PDB file of all heavy atoms in Angstrom:
ATOM      1  N   PHE R 107       0.733  13.081  31.129  1.00 96.00           N
ATOM      2  CA  PHE R 107       1.548  13.557  32.233  1.00 96.00           C
ATOM      3  C   PHE R 107       0.758  14.626  32.968  1.00 96.00           C
ATOM      4  O   PHE R 107       0.043  15.412  32.347  1.00 96.00           O
ATOM      5  CB  PHE R 107       2.867  14.156  31.729  1.00 96.00           C
ATOM      6  CG  PHE R 107       3.720  13.182  30.977  1.00 96.00           C
ATOM      7  CD1 PHE R 107       3.734  13.186  29.596  1.00 96.00           C
ATOM      8  CD2 PHE R 107       4.502  12.258  31.651  1.00 96.00           C
ATOM      9  CE1 PHE R 107       4.517  12.287  28.884  1.00 96.00           C
ATOM     10  CE2 PHE R 107       5.290  11.351  30.956  1.00 96.00           C
ATOM     11  CZ  PHE R 107       5.299  11.363  29.568  1.00 96.00           C
ATOM     12  N   SER R 108       0.919  14.663  34.263  1.00 95.00           N
ATOM     13  CA  SER R 108       0.244  15.696  35.050  1.00 95.00           C
ATOM     14  C   SER R 108       1.101  16.961  35.048  1.00 95.00           C
ATOM     15  O   SER R 108       2.312  16.922  34.789  1.00 95.00           O
ATOM     16  CB  SER R 108       0.034  15.219  36.486  1.00 95.00           C
ATOM     17  OG  SER R 108       1.274  15.113  37.149  1.00 95.00           O
ATOM     18  N   ASN R 109       0.447  18.080  35.341  1.00 94.00           N
ATOM     19  CA  ASN R 109       1.197  19.326  35.519  1.00 94.00           C
ATOM     20  C   ASN R 109       2.301  19.122  36.546  1.00 94.00           C
ATOM     21  O   ASN R 109       3.432  19.580  36.363  1.00 94.00           O
ATOM     22  CB  ASN R 109       0.276  20.449  36.004  1.00 94.00           C
ATOM     23  CG  ASN R 109      -0.609  21.004  34.920  1.00 94.00           C
ATOM     24  OD1 ASN R 109      -0.444  20.721  33.745  1.00 94.00           O
ATOM     25  ND2 ASN R 109      -1.581  21.800  35.335  1.00 94.00           N
ATOM     26  N   ASP R 110       1.958  18.420  37.615  1.00 95.00           N
ATOM     27  CA  ASP R 110       2.905  18.178  38.699  1.00 95.00           C
ATOM     28  C   ASP R 110       4.153  17.427  38.189  1.00 95.00           C
ATOM     29  O   ASP R 110       5.273  17.760  38.575  1.00 95.00           O
ATOM     30  CB  ASP R 110       2.212  17.390  39.820  1.00 95.00           C
ATOM     31  CG  ASP R 110       3.038  17.354  41.076  1.00 95.00           C
ATOM     32  OD1 ASP R 110       3.461  18.432  41.541  1.00 95.00           O
ATOM     33  OD2 ASP R 110       3.279  16.241  41.586  1.00 95.00           O
ATOM     34  N   GLU R 111       3.952  16.430  37.335  1.00 96.00           N
ATOM     35  CA  GLU R 111       5.097  15.700  36.782  1.00 96.00           C
ATOM     36  C   GLU R 111       6.001  16.627  35.968  1.00 96.00           C
ATOM     37  O   GLU R 111       7.225  16.518  36.033  1.00 96.00           O
ATOM     38  CB  GLU R 111       4.632  14.555  35.881  1.00 96.00           C
ATOM     39  CG  GLU R 111       4.059  13.366  36.609  1.00 96.00           C
ATOM     40  CD  GLU R 111       3.556  12.322  35.643  1.00 96.00           C
ATOM     41  OE1 GLU R 111       2.430  12.512  35.114  1.00 96.00           O
ATOM     42  OE2 GLU R 111       4.292  11.345  35.405  1.00 96.00           O
ATOM     43  N   ILE R 112       5.387  17.521  35.194  1.00 96.00           N
ATOM     44  CA  ILE R 112       6.159  18.460  34.381  1.00 96.00           C
ATOM     45  C   ILE R 112       6.974  19.381  35.286  1.00 96.00           C
ATOM     46  O   ILE R 112       8.160  19.615  35.048  1.00 96.00           O
ATOM     47  CB  ILE R 112       5.235  19.302  33.465  1.00 96.00           C
ATOM     48  CG1 ILE R 112       4.413  18.417  32.528  1.00 96.00           C
ATOM     49  CG2 ILE R 112       6.037  20.355  32.697  1.00 96.00           C
ATOM     50  CD1 ILE R 112       5.196  17.622  31.527  1.00 96.00           C
ATOM     51  N   PHE R 113       6.350  19.888  36.344  1.00 96.00           N
ATOM     52  CA  PHE R 113       7.035  20.839  37.225  1.00 96.00           C
ATOM     53  C   PHE R 113       8.100  20.180  38.099  1.00 96.00           C
ATOM     54  O   PHE R 113       9.154  20.750  38.325  1.00 96.00           O
ATOM     55  CB  PHE R 113       6.031  21.568  38.132  1.00 96.00           C
ATOM     56  CG  PHE R 113       5.096  22.463  37.379  1.00 96.00           C
ATOM     57  CD1 PHE R 113       3.735  22.432  37.643  1.00 96.00           C
ATOM     58  CD2 PHE R 113       5.557  23.339  36.416  1.00 96.00           C
ATOM     59  CE1 PHE R 113       2.867  23.271  36.952  1.00 96.00           C
ATOM     60  CE2 PHE R 113       4.691  24.172  35.717  1.00 96.00           C
ATOM     61  CZ  PHE R 113       3.346  24.129  35.996  1.00 96.00           C
ATOM     62  N   ARG R 114       7.813  18.984  38.581  1.00 96.00           N
ATOM     63  CA  ARG R 114       8.726  18.351  39.537  1.00 96.00           C
ATOM     64  C   ARG R 114       9.806  17.481  38.905  1.00 96.00           C
ATOM     65  O   ARG R 114      10.855  17.289  39.501  1.00 96.00           O
ATOM     66  CB  ARG R 114       7.931  17.500  40.532  1.00 96.00           C
ATOM     67  CG  ARG R 114       7.069  18.320  41.441  1.00 96.00           C
ATOM     68  CD  ARG R 114       6.309  17.412  42.404  1.00 96.00           C
ATOM     69  NE  ARG R 114       5.363  18.168  43.175  1.00 96.00           N
ATOM     70  CZ  ARG R 114       5.492  18.416  44.468  1.00 96.00           C
ATOM     71  NH1 ARG R 114       6.533  17.970  45.112  1.00 96.00           N
ATOM     72  NH2 ARG R 114       4.578  19.105  45.100  1.00 96.00           N
ATOM     73  N   ASN R 115       9.506  16.924  37.719  1.00 96.00           N
ATOM     74  CA  ASN R 115      10.469  15.977  37.162  1.00 96.00           C
ATOM     75  C   ASN R 115      10.476  16.013  35.640  1.00 96.00           C
ATOM     76  O   ASN R 115      10.295  14.986  34.990  1.00 96.00           O
ATOM     77  CB  ASN R 115      10.168  14.570  37.678  1.00 96.00           C
ATOM     78  CG  ASN R 115      11.414  13.717  37.682  1.00 96.00           C
ATOM     79  OD1 ASN R 115      12.438  14.097  37.122  1.00 96.00           O
ATOM     80  ND2 ASN R 115      11.318  12.569  38.303  1.00 96.00           N
ATOM     81  N   LEU R 116      10.688  17.181  35.074  1.00 96.00           N
ATOM     82  CA  LEU R 116      10.706  17.336  33.627  1.00 96.00           C
ATOM     83  C   LEU R 116      11.743  16.444  32.942  1.00 96.00           C
ATOM     84  O   LEU R 116      11.438  15.848  31.899  1.00 96.00           O
ATOM     85  CB  LEU R 116      10.907  18.804  33.250  1.00 96.00           C
ATOM     86  CG  LEU R 116      10.847  19.126  31.767  1.00 96.00           C
ATOM     87  CD1 LEU R 116       9.510  18.723  31.153  1.00 96.00           C
ATOM     88  CD2 LEU R 116      11.110  20.612  31.545  1.00 96.00           C
ATOM     89  N   PRO R 117      12.956  16.284  33.497  1.00 96.00           N
ATOM     90  CA  PRO R 117      13.922  15.395  32.826  1.00 96.00           C
ATOM     91  C   PRO R 117      13.409  13.961  32.662  1.00 96.00           C
ATOM     92  O   PRO R 117      13.613  13.342  31.621  1.00 96.00           O
ATOM     93  CB  PRO R 117      15.152  15.438  33.739  1.00 96.00           C
ATOM     94  CG  PRO R 117      15.068  16.768  34.417  1.00 96.00           C
ATOM     95  CD  PRO R 117      13.580  16.979  34.631  1.00 96.00           C
ATOM     96  N   GLU R 118      12.704  13.441  33.656  1.00 97.00           N
ATOM     97  CA  GLU R 118      12.153  12.088  33.554  1.00 97.00           C
ATOM     98  C   GLU R 118      11.038  12.036  32.500  1.00 97.00           C
ATOM     99  O   GLU R 118      10.945  11.070  31.732  1.00 97.00           O
ATOM    100  CB  GLU R 118      11.607  11.618  34.903  1.00 97.00           C
ATOM    101  CG  GLU R 118      11.109  10.179  34.862  1.00 97.00           C
ATOM    102  CD  GLU R 118      10.641   9.697  36.217  1.00 97.00           C
ATOM    103  OE1 GLU R 118      11.344   9.944  37.216  1.00 97.00           O
ATOM    104  OE2 GLU R 118       9.557   9.085  36.260  1.00 97.00           O
ATOM    105  N   VAL R 119      10.202  13.062  32.449  1.00 96.00           N
ATOM    106  CA  VAL R 119       9.143  13.138  31.437  1.00 96.00           C
ATOM    107  C   VAL R 119       9.770  13.135  30.049  1.00 96.00           C
ATOM    108  O   VAL R 119       9.348  12.378  29.162  1.00 96.00           O
ATOM    109  CB  VAL R 119       8.266  14.401  31.645  1.00 96.00           C
ATOM    110  CG1 VAL R 119       7.359  14.639  30.444  1.00 96.00           C
ATOM    111  CG2 VAL R 119       7.448  14.275  32.929  1.00 96.00           C
ATOM    112  N   LEU R 120      10.792  13.950  29.853  1.00 95.00           N
ATOM    113  CA  LEU R 120      11.469  14.014  28.551  1.00 95.00           C
ATOM    114  C   LEU R 120      12.124  12.682  28.197  1.00 95.00           C
ATOM    115  O   LEU R 120      12.091  12.259  27.039  1.00 95.00           O
ATOM    116  CB  LEU R 120      12.498  15.142  28.540  1.00 95.00           C
ATOM    117  CG  LEU R 120      11.914  16.548  28.623  1.00 95.00           C
ATOM    118  CD1 LEU R 120      13.022  17.574  28.825  1.00 95.00           C
ATOM    119  CD2 LEU R 120      11.077  16.866  27.398  1.00 95.00           C
TER     120      LEU R 120
END
Side-chain angles (χ1 to χ4, degrees):
F107 299 100
S108 68
N109 285 349
D110 192 52
E111 286 177 280
I112 301 296
F113 294 133
R114 293 180 187 251
N115 206 349
L116 184 59
E118 184 177 315
V119 168
L120 293 171

